[in-house]
């Protein structure tokens, strides 16, 4: 039996304009395709005579960016902006000319992607910080521009071998620190995993290569086990006459690398290989658990329901770890096709409502679905200086996260180092002001207790409590909580 390893990657090697046209031919209306063609023709004529360091004509780059965006099924205007994303920076055309030709939406995106002019800043560092701030704020303002930036960065990382050693390291580092967390926050796993693997390849070349080879060996050695399990899974699925699909996935190199750094060994990463089972309906995900657990005994305590309690980046799936052949642990991920689309493309999966109001719809999705939105605005409001802003965003938003159970068992994401005060004020400032005691995992803890993933947090409140103390400001870690505490202090009110 043959199986297809889902490498969760999209490739742009040898992408041409013809291939792009073929890709978009079935998904976009004739009118939209005409507009995309016009954008290509303008970009092609403007970039005429320019070449990339690889020696290829420059136009290959915007075509590749548009190709990645089309694979994400973004709307027509975003593809046009992808094709035109470098023309303002690299040629003589102006943003207003683009607006005249393609409308305000395309021109705003092109303008957003275009780098900040170097003239306004005295040092390279200041310029870099201002640019970072601009990228981060674009997350809250126009998510489509961020998708273009991600596609742009992905193609640049794929072709990084043509740059100098110094440039490679610089780009890889920035990608790891800025673009990987952004892709993760938006739930765009395909982009995130490829970006981080590419970065690691340039940041730790020897370790990367060594690990890659080891994992390929493991994959080879696992083939009989994978095929045996696949056969059984297909048997189970065939009992019902409904659409389904199974994919085998090897964990990406950078994720494994990070686990190893945290003291794990290759043998005890139980989701090194996982099966992704996709079905058409939510109920069927749950129904499948029984025959699977009857065939392969579940490893109790490893069952996770991200359907009823989704990750904060909207990832939804059932996870269960079972004893496979030779008693080796194997992870199964069971989800619907729709959930899989969100898991692969993140926010971009919500695209496709063609009523000409994509920008509004997407921004509304960001506001409603993603917990980072409010924090970002708060930090922006509070930190005027670019350096302070960027370092605070790194600490709170781009940093590693802990996931705790808050009110009603809801999974809440907080930056590492957060305390119960951060959770309480994130839940509701009024609620925060009435805290009396904090109970974590059935034990009372101090207000500055550092939360860990899986902590169950309960608050005992008292409506006539004295309210926050000034020392609470230090005990909270997030800008939002600190600000709300300050506002509730009697002294602050008088000022
Ligand atoms: Mn570019």
């Amino acid at each position: 039996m043959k199986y297809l390893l889902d490498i969760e990657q999209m490739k742009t090697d040898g992408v041409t304009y013809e291939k792009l046209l073929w890709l978009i031919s079935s998904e976009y209306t004739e009118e939209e395709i005409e507009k995309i063609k016009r954008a290509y023709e303008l970009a092609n004529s403007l970039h005429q005579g320019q070449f990339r360091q690889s020696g290829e004509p420059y136009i290959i780059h915007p075509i590749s960016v548009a190709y990645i965006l089309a694979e994400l099924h973004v709307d027509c205007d975003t593809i046009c902006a992808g094709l035109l994303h470098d023309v303002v920076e690299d040629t003589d055309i102006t943003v207003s000319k683009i607006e005249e030709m393609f409308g305000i939406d395309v021109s705003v995106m092109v303008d957003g992607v275009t780098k900040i002019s170097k003239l306004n800043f005295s040092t390279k560092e200041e310029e870099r910080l201002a640019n970072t701030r601009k990228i981060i704020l674009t997350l809250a303002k126009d998510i489509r521009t961020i998708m273009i930036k991600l596609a742009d960065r992905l193609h640049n990382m794929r072709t990084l071998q043509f740059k100098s050693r110094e440039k490679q390291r610089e780009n890889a580092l920035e990608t790891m620190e800025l673009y990987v967390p952004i892709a993760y926050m938006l739930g765009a796993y395909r982009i995130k995993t490829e970006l981080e693997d590419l970065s690691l390849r340039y940041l730790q070349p020897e370790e990367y290569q060594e690990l890659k080879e080891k994992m390929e060996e493991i994959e080879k050695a696992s083939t009989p086990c994978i095929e045996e399990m696949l056969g059984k899974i297909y048997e189970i699925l065939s009992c019902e006459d409904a659409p389904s699909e199974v994919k085998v996935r090897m964990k990406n190199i950078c994720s494994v690398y990070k686990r190893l750094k945290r003291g794990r060994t290759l043998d005890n990463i139980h989701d090194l290989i996982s099966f992704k089972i996709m079905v058409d309906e939510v109920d069927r995900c749950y129904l499948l658990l029984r025959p699977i657990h009857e065939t392969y005994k579940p490893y109790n305590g490893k069952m996770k329901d991200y359907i009823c309690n989704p990750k904060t980046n909207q990832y939804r799936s059932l996870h269960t770890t079972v004893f496979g052949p030779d008693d080796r642990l194997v992870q199964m991920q069971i989800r619907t096709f729709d959930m899989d689309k969100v898991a692969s493309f993140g926010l971009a999966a919500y695209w496709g409502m063609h009523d000409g109001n994509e920008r509004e719809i997407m921004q509304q999705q960001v506001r409603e679905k993603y917990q980072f939105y409010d924090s970002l605005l708060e930090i922006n409001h509070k930190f005027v200086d670019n350096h302070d802003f960027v370092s605070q965003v790194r600490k709170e938003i781009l940093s590693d996260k802990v996931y705790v159970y808050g009110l009603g068992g809801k999974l809440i994401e907080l930056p590492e180092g957060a305390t119960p005060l951060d959770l309480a004020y994130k839940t509701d400032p009024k609620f925060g002001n009435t805290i009396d005691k904090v109970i974590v995992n059935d034990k009372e803890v101090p207000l500055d207790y550092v939360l860990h993933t899986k902590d169950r947090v309960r608050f005992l409140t008292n409506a006539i409590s004295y309210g926050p103390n000034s020392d609470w400001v230090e005990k909270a870690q997030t800008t939002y909580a600190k600000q709300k505490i300050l506002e509730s202090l009697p002294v602050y009110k008088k000022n």
Side-chain angles (χ1 to χ4, degrees):
M1 189 189 309
K2 281 250 155 53
Y3 69 90
L4 239 139
L5 198 68
D6 184 23
I7 49 166
E8 313 218 310
Q9 270 186 23
M10 311 164 283
K11 282 281 161 231
T12 38
D13 288 349
V15 161
T16 58
Y17 177 51
E18 284 68 34
K19 285 189 185 163
L20 174 67
L21 281 183
W22 186 83
L23 180 67
I24 61 172
S25 61
S26 57
E27 287 225 25
Y28 299 85
T29 67
E30 223 150 275
E31 206 179 310
E32 288 173 329
I33 292 172
E34 278 315 306
K35 191 170 182 183
I36 292 168
K37 282 181 176 169
R38 277 203 295 126
Y40 163 76
E41 271 147 29
L42 179 63
N44 191 34
S45 70
L46 288 168
H47 287 302
Q48 207 60 250
Q50 296 177 344
F51 293 89
R52 302 198 90 209
Q53 258 139 334
S54 61
E56 289 175 315
Y58 194 86
I59 191 69
I60 292 296
H61 170 62
I63 291 174
S64 301
V65 169
Y67 193 88
I68 293 168
L69 289 167
E71 283 181 308
L72 294 170
H73 316 284
V74 303
D75 67 313
C76 162
D77 278 352
T78 309
I79 294 184
C80 292
L83 282 164
L84 294 164
H85 81 270
D86 274 332
V87 295
V88 174
E89 196 188 344
D90 295 345
T91 76
D92 292 332
I93 199 166
T94 59
V95 174
S96 54
K97 182 75 191 164
I98 291 176
E99 183 184 335
E100 199 181 294
M101 294 176 76
F102 296 95
I104 180 86
D105 267 31
V106 174
S107 73
V108 164
M109 285 189 265
V110 172
D111 192 33
V113 177
T114 305
K115 286 186 192 110
I116 290 176
S117 161
K118 291 171 188 181
L119 294 172
N120 302 333
F121 301 98
S122 51
T123 69
K124 184 108 182 102
E125 177 65 6
E126 273 179 60
E127 183 199 324
R128 198 182 57 80
L129 287 169
N131 202 33
T132 304
R133 183 173 200 153
K134 193 179 178 191
I135 293 166
I136 292 167
L137 286 179
T138 308
L139 259 178
K141 272 202 306 239
D142 185 357
I143 212 72
R144 294 189 300 175
T145 305
I146 282 292
M147 297 311 288
I148 299 171
K149 273 304 270 188
L150 284 172
D152 179 41
R153 178 50 61 112
L154 184 56
H155 185 245
N156 285 335
M157 288 300 292
R158 281 177 184 172
T159 50
L160 204 56
Q161 71 265 34
F162 303 106
K163 297 274 182 188
S164 69
R165 190 78 194 91
E166 196 194 325
K167 201 86 199 132
Q168 286 176 350
R169 283 195 63 86
E170 198 182 297
N171 281 2
L173 197 65
E174 191 190 35
T175 301
M176 200 66 118
E177 287 181 347
L178 182 62
Y179 291 95
V180 168
I182 286 177
Y184 177 76
M185 278 158 60
L186 298 177
Y189 279 91
R190 285 190 183 227
I191 291 183
K192 179 244 175 195
T193 51
E194 192 183 344
L195 279 180
E196 68 180 1
D197 279 5
L198 283 165
S199 303
L200 187 66
R201 193 174 124 192
Y202 290 100
L203 292 172
Q204 304 289 348
E206 285 96 28
E207 285 177 274
Y208 173 88
Q209 202 52 39
E210 198 188 320
L211 186 54
K212 187 170 179 248
E213 281 161 22
K214 267 194 208 153
M215 285 173 63
E216 279 164 1
E217 266 170 46
I218 292 176
E219 192 197 315
K220 237 199 224 150
S222 308
T223 307
C225 162
I226 291 172
E227 294 193 343
E228 185 188 325
M229 291 186 81
L230 259 183
K232 294 251 172 73
I233 295 169
Y234 281 137
E235 237 170 70
I236 292 169
L237 289 169
S238 67
C239 292
E240 261 184 89
D241 186 27
S244 61
E245 202 182 323
V246 186
K247 278 184 176 171
V248 183
R249 185 214 61 145
M250 190 85 183
K251 205 171 183 64
N252 74 305
I253 297 172
C254 188
S255 298
V256 175
Y257 176 82
K258 283 182 185 162
R259 295 271 183 100
L260 296 178
K261 286 282 157 199
R262 271 185 252 134
R264 300 281 288 271
T265 62
L266 272 178
D267 307 318
N268 69 16
I269 299 178
H270 66 264
D271 58 349
L272 203 59
I273 294 170
S274 57
F275 287 85
K276 193 161 79 179
I277 305 169
M278 289 162 285
V279 294
D280 55 343
E281 279 168 21
V282 181
D283 285 351
R284 280 170 48 76
C285 297
Y286 291 93
L287 285 174
L288 264 176
L289 272 177
R290 181 165 164 189
I292 284 173
H293 284 170
E294 272 173 353
T295 311
Y296 298 108
K297 288 273 178 265
Y299 182 41
N300 282 345
K302 282 286 175 195
M303 159 80 211
K304 288 169 191 159
D305 185 346
Y306 292 118
I307 293 180
C308 287
N309 218 344
K311 290 194 184 182
T312 45
N313 63 15
Q314 299 305 306
Y315 175 87
R316 294 172 82 207
S317 186
L318 292 179
H319 286 189
T320 183
T321 300
V322 301
F323 289 93
D326 304 327
D327 288 346
R328 65 183 283 175
L329 291 175
V330 179
Q331 191 192 59
M332 305 259 183
Q333 306 175 350
I334 310 168
R335 59 180 82 149
T336 66
F337 291 109
D338 283 349
M339 292 173 195
D340 189 59
K341 203 175 159 202
V342 176
S344 302
F345 304 130
L347 187 78
Y350 301 107
W351 243 299
M353 292 166 257
H354 289 279
D355 72 345
N357 206 7
E358 296 292 334
R359 204 187 100 82
E360 286 283 300
I361 293 166
M362 294 304 284
Q363 288 313 113
Q364 197 183 325
Q365 296 282 353
V366 173
R367 279 194 294 273
E368 287 171 7
K369 291 186 188 290
Y370 293 86
Q371 295 187 12
F372 67 79
Y373 185 79
D374 291 333
S375 319
L376 200 53
L377 295 189
E378 194 67 39
I379 296 171
N380 185 42
H381 181 71
K382 177 103 187 176
F383 295 91
V384 180
D385 180 73
N386 286 334
H387 177 269
D388 297 343
F389 171 83
V390 170
S391 82
Q392 196 61 28
V393 167
R394 283 200 199 294
K395 211 171 114 192
E396 277 188 50
I397 298 190
L398 306 178
S399 59
D400 285 338
K401 302 289 192 301
V402 293
Y403 297 88
V404 300
Y405 294 101
L407 217 59
K410 193 182 172 204
L411 203 59
I412 307 285
E413 175 187 277
L414 289 163
E416 223 166 46
T419 68
L421 285 172
D422 297 302
L423 174 63
Y425 280 93
K426 184 168 184 162
T427 309
D428 184 351
K430 280 191 210 112
F431 179 70
N433 286 339
T434 61
I435 297 177
D436 203 11
K437 281 189 177 117
V438 186
I439 314 288
V440 170
N441 304 330
D442 305 318
K443 268 195 202 126
E444 189 179 343
V445 297
L447 289 176
D448 56 358
Y449 166 87
V450 174
L451 292 165
H452 302 280
T453 288
K454 287 188 189 163
D455 275 351
R456 284 176 293 119
V457 190
R458 275 194 310 131
F459 294 97
L460 301 184
T461 56
N462 181 352
I464 52 158
S465 80
Y466 292 106
N469 274 315
S470 55
D471 69 337
W472 284 22
V473 180
E474 289 307 309
K475 289 177 177 173
Q477 294 300 310
T478 57
T479 306
Y480 184 76
K482 282 176 188 284
Q483 184 59 28
K484 292 298 153 194
I485 293 166
L486 274 173
E487 284 170 14
S488 310
L489 289 174
V491 182
Y492 186 87
K493 281 174 196 154
K494 267 181 228 150
N495 289 341

